mmCIF file of all heavy atoms in Angstrom:
data_model
loop_
_atom_site.group_PDB
_atom_site.id
_atom_site.type_symbol
_atom_site.label_atom_id
_atom_site.label_comp_id
_atom_site.label_asym_id
_atom_site.label_seq_id
_atom_site.Cartn_x
_atom_site.Cartn_y
_atom_site.Cartn_z
ATOM 1 N N ILE A 99 6.696 4.739 26.392
ATOM 2 C CA ILE A 99 7.771 5.156 27.293
ATOM 3 C C ILE A 99 7.304 5.135 28.748
ATOM 4 O O ILE A 99 7.972 4.602 29.621
ATOM 5 C CB ILE A 99 8.274 6.568 26.918
ATOM 6 C CG1 ILE A 99 8.904 6.540 25.527
ATOM 7 C CG2 ILE A 99 9.288 7.061 27.936
ATOM 8 C CD1 ILE A 99 9.195 7.910 24.970
ATOM 9 N N ARG A 100 6.102 5.662 28.981
ATOM 10 C CA ARG A 100 5.639 5.791 30.368
ATOM 11 C C ARG A 100 5.139 4.466 30.960
ATOM 12 O O ARG A 100 5.557 4.072 32.036
ATOM 13 C CB ARG A 100 4.490 6.797 30.455
ATOM 14 C CG ARG A 100 4.944 8.229 30.480
ATOM 15 C CD ARG A 100 3.838 9.111 31.046
ATOM 16 N NE ARG A 100 4.046 10.512 30.735
ATOM 17 C CZ ARG A 100 4.942 11.290 31.340
ATOM 18 N NH1 ARG A 100 5.729 10.795 32.280
ATOM 19 N NH2 ARG A 100 5.062 12.554 31.008
ATOM 20 N N LEU A 103 7.696 1.027 29.501
ATOM 21 C CA LEU A 103 9.089 1.040 29.915
ATOM 22 C C LEU A 103 9.244 1.654 31.314
ATOM 23 O O LEU A 103 10.332 1.697 31.846
ATOM 24 C CB LEU A 103 9.937 1.833 28.919
ATOM 25 C CG LEU A 103 9.908 1.300 27.489
ATOM 26 C CD1 LEU A 103 10.699 2.207 26.575
ATOM 27 C CD2 LEU A 103 10.486 -0.114 27.428
ATOM 28 N N HIS A 104 8.148 2.147 31.880
ATOM 29 C CA HIS A 104 8.171 2.759 33.209
ATOM 30 C C HIS A 104 9.262 3.806 33.314
ATOM 31 O O HIS A 104 10.078 3.788 34.242
ATOM 32 C CB HIS A 104 8.366 1.682 34.292
ATOM 33 C CG HIS A 104 7.438 0.522 34.126
ATOM 34 N ND1 HIS A 104 6.084 0.604 34.400
ATOM 35 C CD2 HIS A 104 7.655 -0.731 33.662
ATOM 36 C CE1 HIS A 104 5.526 -0.556 34.121
ATOM 37 N NE2 HIS A 104 6.441 -1.380 33.676
ATOM 38 N N ALA A 105 9.285 4.700 32.331
ATOM 39 C CA ALA A 105 10.311 5.730 32.337
ATOM 40 C C ALA A 105 10.111 6.642 33.535
ATOM 41 O O ALA A 105 8.989 6.989 33.879
ATOM 42 C CB ALA A 105 10.239 6.559 31.060
ATOM 43 N N PRO A 106 11.214 7.022 34.167
ATOM 44 C CA PRO A 106 11.096 7.970 35.272
ATOM 45 C C PRO A 106 10.613 9.313 34.739
ATOM 46 O O PRO A 106 10.922 9.687 33.608
ATOM 47 C CB PRO A 106 12.527 8.077 35.800
ATOM 48 C CG PRO A 106 13.400 7.675 34.648
ATOM 49 C CD PRO A 106 12.595 6.686 33.853
ATOM 50 N N ARG A 107 9.866 10.015 35.578
ATOM 51 C CA ARG A 107 9.364 11.310 35.123
ATOM 52 C C ARG A 107 10.387 12.399 35.405
ATOM 53 O O ARG A 107 10.106 13.361 36.094
ATOM 54 C CB ARG A 107 8.055 11.624 35.854
ATOM 55 C CG ARG A 107 6.919 10.737 35.419
ATOM 56 C CD ARG A 107 5.730 10.910 36.327
ATOM 57 N NE ARG A 107 4.625 10.080 35.829
ATOM 58 C CZ ARG A 107 3.665 10.543 35.050
ATOM 59 N NH1 ARG A 107 3.660 11.799 34.669
ATOM 60 N NH2 ARG A 107 2.716 9.737 34.630
ATOM 61 N N ILE A 108 11.579 12.208 34.857
ATOM 62 C CA ILE A 108 12.632 13.188 35.157
ATOM 63 C C ILE A 108 12.464 14.458 34.355
ATOM 64 O O ILE A 108 12.859 15.514 34.764
ATOM 65 C CB ILE A 108 14.042 12.636 34.856
ATOM 66 C CG1 ILE A 108 14.073 12.052 33.433
ATOM 67 C CG2 ILE A 108 14.475 11.638 35.898
ATOM 68 C CD1 ILE A 108 15.459 11.966 32.867
ATOM 69 N N ALA A 109 11.910 14.343 33.192
ATOM 70 C CA ALA A 109 11.820 15.514 32.319
ATOM 71 C C ALA A 109 10.503 15.420 31.591
ATOM 72 O O ALA A 109 9.924 14.352 31.494
ATOM 73 C CB ALA A 109 12.968 15.491 31.311
ATOM 74 N N PRO A 110 10.000 16.557 31.124
ATOM 75 C CA PRO A 110 8.803 16.454 30.296
ATOM 76 C C PRO A 110 9.121 15.535 29.112
ATOM 77 O O PRO A 110 10.236 15.547 28.595
ATOM 78 C CB PRO A 110 8.560 17.892 29.845
ATOM 79 C CG PRO A 110 9.803 18.655 30.154
ATOM 80 C CD PRO A 110 10.520 17.908 31.226
ATOM 81 N N LEU A 111 8.141 14.739 28.737
ATOM 82 C CA LEU A 111 8.402 13.779 27.671
ATOM 83 C C LEU A 111 8.523 14.445 26.310
ATOM 84 O O LEU A 111 9.070 13.876 25.390
ATOM 85 C CB LEU A 111 7.293 12.732 27.627
ATOM 86 C CG LEU A 111 7.441 11.600 28.628
ATOM 87 C CD1 LEU A 111 6.318 10.597 28.438
ATOM 88 C CD2 LEU A 111 8.785 10.899 28.454
ATOM 89 N N PRO A 113 10.379 16.709 24.557
ATOM 90 C CA PRO A 113 11.589 16.631 23.736
ATOM 91 C C PRO A 113 12.041 15.199 23.476
ATOM 92 O O PRO A 113 12.518 14.891 22.380
ATOM 93 C CB PRO A 113 12.638 17.390 24.557
ATOM 94 C CG PRO A 113 12.000 17.771 25.839
ATOM 95 C CD PRO A 113 10.556 17.463 25.788
ATOM 96 N N VAL A 114 11.857 14.330 24.477
ATOM 97 C CA VAL A 114 12.270 12.935 24.277
ATOM 98 C C VAL A 114 11.413 12.315 23.190
ATOM 99 O O VAL A 114 11.896 11.647 22.270
ATOM 100 C CB VAL A 114 12.102 12.123 25.577
ATOM 101 C CG1 VAL A 114 12.516 10.678 25.345
ATOM 102 C CG2 VAL A 114 12.899 12.743 26.688
ATOM 103 N N ALA A 115 10.096 12.550 23.295
ATOM 104 C CA ALA A 115 9.191 11.968 22.322
ATOM 105 C C ALA A 115 9.484 12.516 20.934
ATOM 106 O O ALA A 115 9.506 11.773 19.959
ATOM 107 C CB ALA A 115 7.744 12.245 22.718
ATOM 108 N N LEU A 118 12.610 10.829 19.750
ATOM 109 C CA LEU A 118 12.395 9.429 19.380
ATOM 110 C C LEU A 118 11.537 9.330 18.118
ATOM 111 O O LEU A 118 11.713 8.425 17.311
ATOM 112 C CB LEU A 118 11.734 8.663 20.528
ATOM 113 C CG LEU A 118 12.679 8.226 21.649
ATOM 114 C CD1 LEU A 118 11.920 7.475 22.726
ATOM 115 C CD2 LEU A 118 13.821 7.364 21.139
ATOM 116 N N ARG A 177 15.521 -2.093 29.209
ATOM 117 C CA ARG A 177 14.089 -2.358 29.237
ATOM 118 C C ARG A 177 13.500 -2.527 27.842
ATOM 119 O O ARG A 177 12.589 -3.313 27.639
ATOM 120 C CB ARG A 177 13.370 -1.208 29.939
ATOM 121 C CG ARG A 177 13.575 -1.234 31.442
ATOM 122 C CD ARG A 177 12.903 -0.024 32.054
ATOM 123 N NE ARG A 177 13.849 0.624 32.952
ATOM 124 C CZ ARG A 177 13.821 1.909 33.263
ATOM 125 N NH1 ARG A 177 12.910 2.698 32.741
ATOM 126 N NH2 ARG A 177 14.703 2.413 34.077
ATOM 127 N N VAL A 178 14.019 -1.751 26.893
ATOM 128 C CA VAL A 178 13.493 -1.874 25.534
ATOM 129 C C VAL A 178 13.722 -3.292 25.022
ATOM 130 O O VAL A 178 12.848 -3.914 24.423
ATOM 131 C CB VAL A 178 14.147 -0.838 24.595
ATOM 132 C CG1 VAL A 178 13.837 -1.157 23.146
ATOM 133 C CG2 VAL A 178 13.655 0.552 24.954
ATOM 134 N N TRP B 189 18.890 17.104 17.460
ATOM 135 C CA TRP B 189 18.431 16.626 18.757
ATOM 136 C C TRP B 189 19.523 15.813 19.452
ATOM 137 O O TRP B 189 19.748 15.892 20.647
ATOM 138 C CB TRP B 189 17.164 15.780 18.566
ATOM 139 C CG TRP B 189 16.633 15.211 19.854
ATOM 140 C CD1 TRP B 189 15.990 15.896 20.837
ATOM 141 C CD2 TRP B 189 16.710 13.852 20.290
ATOM 142 N NE1 TRP B 189 15.653 15.035 21.859
ATOM 143 C CE2 TRP B 189 16.088 13.778 21.552
ATOM 144 C CE3 TRP B 189 17.249 12.682 19.746
ATOM 145 C CZ2 TRP B 189 15.971 12.587 22.266
ATOM 146 C CZ3 TRP B 189 17.141 11.500 20.454
ATOM 147 C CH2 TRP B 189 16.506 11.454 21.706
ATOM 148 N N LEU B 204 26.361 13.185 25.921
ATOM 149 C CA LEU B 204 25.325 12.648 26.797
ATOM 150 C C LEU B 204 25.066 13.524 28.018
ATOM 151 O O LEU B 204 23.923 13.818 28.338
ATOM 152 C CB LEU B 204 25.752 11.281 27.329
ATOM 153 C CG LEU B 204 25.293 10.061 26.562
ATOM 154 C CD1 LEU B 204 25.694 8.825 27.349
ATOM 155 C CD2 LEU B 204 23.797 10.099 26.358
ATOM 156 N N ARG B 207 22.737 16.649 28.038
ATOM 157 C CA ARG B 207 21.411 16.634 27.437
ATOM 158 C C ARG B 207 20.490 15.652 28.157
ATOM 159 O O ARG B 207 20.578 14.454 27.930
ATOM 160 C CB ARG B 207 21.501 16.241 25.954
ATOM 161 C CG ARG B 207 22.633 16.933 25.239
ATOM 162 C CD ARG B 207 22.228 17.805 24.093
ATOM 163 N NE ARG B 207 21.188 17.233 23.284
ATOM 164 C CZ ARG B 207 20.065 17.870 22.966
ATOM 165 N NH1 ARG B 207 19.846 19.061 23.427
ATOM 166 N NH2 ARG B 207 19.179 17.295 22.200
ATOM 167 N N PRO B 208 19.622 16.176 29.031
ATOM 168 C CA PRO B 208 18.752 15.294 29.813
ATOM 169 C C PRO B 208 17.921 14.360 28.923
ATOM 170 O O PRO B 208 17.750 13.179 29.252
ATOM 171 C CB PRO B 208 17.847 16.258 30.577
ATOM 172 C CG PRO B 208 18.313 17.625 30.293
ATOM 173 C CD PRO B 208 19.417 17.595 29.326
ATOM 174 N N ALA B 209 17.439 14.870 27.809
ATOM 175 C CA ALA B 209 16.623 14.030 26.936
ATOM 176 C C ALA B 209 17.434 12.835 26.467
ATOM 177 O O ALA B 209 16.944 11.715 26.368
ATOM 178 C CB ALA B 209 16.134 14.840 25.743
ATOM 179 N N LEU B 210 18.722 13.102 26.195
ATOM 180 C CA LEU B 210 19.581 12.018 25.739
ATOM 181 C C LEU B 210 19.841 11.012 26.846
ATOM 182 O O LEU B 210 20.001 9.822 26.587
ATOM 183 C CB LEU B 210 20.917 12.567 25.267
ATOM 184 C CG LEU B 210 21.010 12.963 23.797
ATOM 185 C CD1 LEU B 210 22.456 13.267 23.465
ATOM 186 C CD2 LEU B 210 20.491 11.837 22.924
ATOM 187 N N ARG B 211 19.905 11.516 28.101
ATOM 188 C CA ARG B 211 20.136 10.570 29.197
ATOM 189 C C ARG B 211 19.006 9.543 29.261
ATOM 190 O O ARG B 211 19.235 8.369 29.477
ATOM 191 C CB ARG B 211 20.261 11.309 30.533
ATOM 192 C CG ARG B 211 21.654 11.906 30.741
ATOM 193 C CD ARG B 211 22.001 12.014 32.223
ATOM 194 N NE ARG B 211 21.033 12.802 32.967
ATOM 195 C CZ ARG B 211 21.096 14.126 33.071
ATOM 196 N NH1 ARG B 211 22.056 14.816 32.482
ATOM 197 N NH2 ARG B 211 20.193 14.775 33.771
ATOM 198 N N LEU B 212 17.782 10.021 29.048
ATOM 199 C CA LEU B 212 16.663 9.087 29.053
ATOM 200 C C LEU B 212 16.746 8.158 27.840
ATOM 201 O O LEU B 212 16.588 6.947 27.954
ATOM 202 C CB LEU B 212 15.327 9.853 29.054
ATOM 203 C CG LEU B 212 14.077 8.993 28.997
ATOM 204 C CD1 LEU B 212 14.051 7.972 30.125
ATOM 205 C CD2 LEU B 212 12.823 9.859 29.068
ATOM 206 N N GLY B 213 17.023 8.751 26.691
ATOM 207 C CA GLY B 213 17.182 7.945 25.481
ATOM 208 C C GLY B 213 18.235 6.878 25.692
ATOM 209 O O GLY B 213 18.078 5.726 25.284
ATOM 210 N N ASP B 214 19.308 7.269 26.360
ATOM 211 C CA ASP B 214 20.403 6.349 26.618
ATOM 212 C C ASP B 214 19.955 5.218 27.538
ATOM 213 O O ASP B 214 20.283 4.054 27.326
ATOM 214 C CB ASP B 214 21.559 7.132 27.249
ATOM 215 C CG ASP B 214 22.761 6.249 27.511
ATOM 216 O OD1 ASP B 214 23.208 5.599 26.555
ATOM 217 O OD2 ASP B 214 23.218 6.203 28.667
ATOM 218 N N ALA B 215 19.157 5.564 28.554
ATOM 219 C CA ALA B 215 18.667 4.535 29.477
ATOM 220 C C ALA B 215 17.771 3.550 28.741
ATOM 221 O O ALA B 215 17.750 2.359 29.046
ATOM 222 C CB ALA B 215 17.899 5.189 30.628
ATOM 223 N N LEU B 216 17.030 4.045 27.777
ATOM 224 C CA LEU B 216 16.092 3.184 27.075
ATOM 225 C C LEU B 216 16.767 2.370 25.978
ATOM 226 O O LEU B 216 16.449 1.205 25.764
ATOM 227 C CB LEU B 216 14.967 4.025 26.458
ATOM 228 C CG LEU B 216 14.100 4.807 27.439
ATOM 229 C CD1 LEU B 216 13.079 5.651 26.688
ATOM 230 C CD2 LEU B 216 13.381 3.863 28.392
ATOM 231 N N LEU B 217 17.648 3.005 25.244
ATOM 232 C CA LEU B 217 18.167 2.381 24.032
ATOM 233 C C LEU B 217 19.643 2.013 24.103
ATOM 234 O O LEU B 217 20.131 1.243 23.282
ATOM 235 C CB LEU B 217 17.973 3.324 22.841
ATOM 236 C CG LEU B 217 16.532 3.550 22.418
ATOM 237 C CD1 LEU B 217 16.420 4.773 21.528
ATOM 238 C CD2 LEU B 217 15.988 2.330 21.703
ATOM 239 N N GLY B 218 20.326 2.590 25.055
ATOM 240 C CA GLY B 218 21.753 2.305 25.148
ATOM 241 C C GLY B 218 22.553 3.297 24.320
ATOM 242 O O GLY B 218 22.200 3.581 23.173
ATOM 243 N N LEU B 222 22.617 5.052 19.983
ATOM 244 C CA LEU B 222 22.407 6.464 19.656
ATOM 245 C C LEU B 222 23.631 7.046 18.964
ATOM 246 O O LEU B 222 23.524 7.825 18.031
ATOM 247 C CB LEU B 222 22.080 7.263 20.923
ATOM 248 C CG LEU B 222 20.704 7.015 21.532
ATOM 249 C CD1 LEU B 222 20.462 7.969 22.688
ATOM 250 C CD2 LEU B 222 19.609 7.156 20.501
#
Side-chain angles (χ1 to χ4, degrees):
Chain A
I99 296 169
R100 279 200 197 285
L103 301 176
H104 311 288
R107 290 170 177 264
I108 51 159
L111 278 183
V114 179
L118 280 180
R177 286 177 229 154
V178 168
Chain B
W189 179 73
L204 266 186
R207 316 241 319 128
L210 271 189
R211 279 208 303 274
L212 177 55
D214 182 54
L216 298 177
L217 292 164
L222 289 186

